[in-house]
Amino acid sequence: MEKRILENLNTAILFFNSDLLLTYVNPAAEMLFELSSKKMLQMTAKDIFHCPGEVIDVTLIKSLESGQPFIEREMSLPLPDKRIIKVDCSVTPLNEPNIETNILVELRAIDRQIRISHEEQLISQHHATRALIRGMAHEIKNPLGGIRGAAQLLEEELNSDDLKEYTQVITREADRLKTLLNRMLGPNKLPKQQSINIHQVLERVRMLVKAEMPKNILFHRDYDPSLPDTQADEDLLIQAVLNIVRNAAQAIGQKGNITLKTRIQRQFTLANHKYKLISKIEIINDGPKIPDYILKNIFYPMISGRAEGTGLGLSISQSIINQHDGLIECLSEDNKTTFIILLPLKENHD
Ligand SMILES: Nc1ncnc2c1ncn2[C@@H]1O[C@H](COP(=O)(O)OP(=O)(O)OP(=O)(O)O)[C@@H](O)[C@H]1O
Ligand SMILES: [Mg+2]
């Protein structure tokens, strides 16, 4: 019973023995540090908390020696992925007769609340943009059909081939515009709900991009094998991930690395919905940093840094991920661009 409570807490719980060796870690803590309990259980407090000045380390020793609990509010905690988050940290020594003293460490991320509101803002912004684009594309498509039809009628009335060339330009350009608008409108079918394996999606994309790009791209896979199957539309997800991986391949030039990474996140809130499990898919490449003016609006249609790009790839990916109740984000720094897809894992009976 106690174990079940610990396993389902949102607060990260760590238990250390008197040598400051970790003896228990709950799933919330595994998630926070992005390390499995198996890996963490061989670590000392010092290995886990890379705090400047070893604040937690010292606090633990102080607490152990004095038998007194400590609470540190809004402490900066560097994570293994170099992010620094703010946490409220409590350290409680557990003195029980005849048992070696243990130390209980509780970490509550306070950034999480800020992050949730940021995600909600992103999602509603994505929805608003999509609605605007769809409305516009739809409104352009109708008169375009009229223009094309009229050009064809006119062509039938013309006797001179020279003049027909002009009407053919109109038809051809109208067709080109229609294809573009259709891409802007995005997938026009509702996603199918089939049981799919995310790793299979990533593998398909990896093979496709490998075949397309004869360059020296090294793919690395860092998959979480415990990721369960989910209900989603496989073709649409392939399309969403393909657009991102293609961009990554185009960005790294002649030689570089693309990493496909998956992780499970437990008890995660996305767009006001609390999900038991979500999958975090990361596509990381080591190309140049995306310039800020592109990064700011990267998921908007028509935003492109490539001469031959239409700037639609990512806006399509985004609308597919949104259709699956997920979220997509981009982080870019020198030599490391990461696209993160957060996708709720839906069980069969959902
Ligand atoms: N991994 C990446 N590294 C660097 N820049 C990127 C990366 N992914 C996207 N970009 C930038 O974002 C822009 C928008 O990408 P998006 O896929 O939406 O359009 P595109 O690739 O230009 O055109 P399309 O995909 O429609 O052919 C790209 O043109 C590129 O400048
Ligand atoms: Mg693209």
Side-chain angles (χ1 to χ4, degrees):
M1 174 69 179
E2 286 90 349
K3 187 149 186 212
R4 264 188 57 207
I5 297 175
L6 280 174
E7 307 270 287
N8 284 291
L9 275 182
N10 283 324
T11 309
I13 304 283
L14 300 109
F15 242 66
F16 293 93
N17 67 13
S18 52
D19 296 327
L20 301 191
L21 260 173
L22 188 69
T23 54
Y24 172 80
V25 54
N26 77 340
E30 290 177 71
M31 203 175 99
L32 186 69
F33 289 99
E34 294 188 9
L35 286 170
S36 67
S37 62
K38 214 170 130 205
K39 267 205 182 131
M40 287 182 86
L41 287 177
Q42 297 151 10
M43 297 166 91
T44 63
K46 209 172 173 158
D47 298 328
I48 296 169
F49 307 114
H50 307 274
C51 293
E54 297 167 10
V55 192
I56 294 193
D57 215 36
V58 173
T59 311
L60 290 192
I61 295 168
K62 262 201 266 174
S63 169
L64 198 64
E65 284 171 354
S66 66
Q68 293 297 318
F70 279 89
I71 294 183
E72 290 238 6
R73 295 216 180 276
E74 301 199 16
M75 196 180 76
S76 297
L77 178 70
L79 294 180
D81 66 2
K82 308 266 186 321
R83 270 188 307 136
I84 295 178
I85 58 159
K86 285 247 181 296
V87 290
D88 284 344
C89 165
S90 1
V91 175
T92 319
L94 303 176
N95 298 308
E96 285 164 62
N98 305 328
I99 304 180
E100 182 193 23
T101 312
N102 284 306
I103 307 175
L104 169 67
V105 176
E106 297 164 67
L107 299 171
R108 201 168 306 109
I110 45 185
D111 283 2
R112 185 70 200 122
Q113 216 40 50
I114 301 169
R115 194 171 158 80
I116 287 173
S117 70
H118 166 70
E119 281 163 6
E120 274 165 18
Q121 205 187 336
L122 267 184
I123 287 171
S124 83
Q125 200 182 2
H126 291 177
H127 279 307
T129 329
R130 282 309 304 166
L132 181 74
I133 303 297
R134 291 184 79 87
M136 233 179 65
H138 192 256
E139 286 310 299
I140 299 174
K141 251 177 104 171
N142 284 340
L144 197 62
I147 294 171
R148 192 188 191 281
Q152 275 183 321
L153 288 177
L154 186 60
E155 191 172 322
E156 283 165 23
E157 300 296 320
L158 294 175
N159 301 321
S160 135
D161 278 351
D162 279 355
L163 291 178
K164 279 186 184 177
E165 258 181 44
Y166 294 120
T167 52
Q168 279 157 11
V169 169
I170 300 175
T171 329
R172 243 193 347 261
E173 290 301 294
D175 286 344
R176 206 164 63 87
L177 211 50
K178 193 174 151 203
T179 314
L180 190 69
L181 289 171
N182 281 338
R183 279 196 77 201
M184 277 175 81
L185 282 165
N188 61 355
K189 54 174 189 139
L190 282 175
K192 277 183 281 176
Q193 294 289 322
Q194 52 198 158
S195 183
I196 65 143
N197 182 297
I198 288 175
H199 294 144
Q200 223 161 294
V201 169
L202 295 177
E203 284 299 288
R204 269 288 297 284
V205 171
R206 189 174 68 89
M207 300 316 281
L208 282 168
V209 174
K210 261 182 101 160
E212 269 179 21
M213 311 264 169
K215 296 186 287 185
N216 226 350
I217 295 172
L218 270 181
F219 274 94
H220 306 272
R221 285 168 286 174
D222 179 2
Y223 293 163
D224 180 345
S226 63
L227 200 72
D229 286 1
T230 183
Q231 293 285 311
D233 188 314
E234 187 165 34
D235 293 339
L236 287 180
L237 283 191
I238 289 176
Q239 158 102 74
V241 178
L242 182 62
N243 290 346
I244 297 172
V245 177
R246 242 185 215 147
N247 283 344
Q250 284 158 350
I252 58 185
Q254 279 313 307
K255 206 170 166 203
N257 298 282
I258 297 180
T259 304
L260 304 174
K261 179 174 166 186
T262 57
R263 288 292 179 270
I264 287 191
Q265 309 256 278
R266 284 170 217 280
Q267 313 293 356
F268 203 95
T269 307
L270 260 184
N272 259 335
H273 247 280
K274 189 161 178 181
Y275 293 99
K276 249 198 282 179
L277 286 181
I278 73 158
S279 58
K280 181 175 180 187
I281 306 163
E282 286 177 81
I283 295 139
I284 307 157
N285 74 270
D286 57 358
K289 178 177 161 27
I290 304 178
D292 282 342
Y293 69 94
I294 291 186
L295 192 61
K296 256 198 324 213
N297 298 317
I298 196 157
F299 294 105
Y300 284 76
M302 307 305 190
I303 298 292
S304 177
R306 295 189 302 117
E308 69 282 23
T310 60
L312 288 178
L314 288 177
S315 107
I316 292 169
S317 298
Q318 186 202 49
S319 70
I320 293 173
I321 299 302
N322 284 172
Q323 274 184 328
H324 285 83
D325 305 315
L327 179 79
I328 177 167
E329 267 190 293
C330 173
L331 308 170
S332 189
E333 55 189 75
D334 269 343
N335 272 322
K336 187 176 181 195
T337 293
T338 310
F339 280 84
I340 305 166
I341 301 175
L342 299 172
L343 203 62
L345 285 169
K346 296 178 183 166
E347 293 164 34
N348 286 333
H349 54 266
D350 268 7

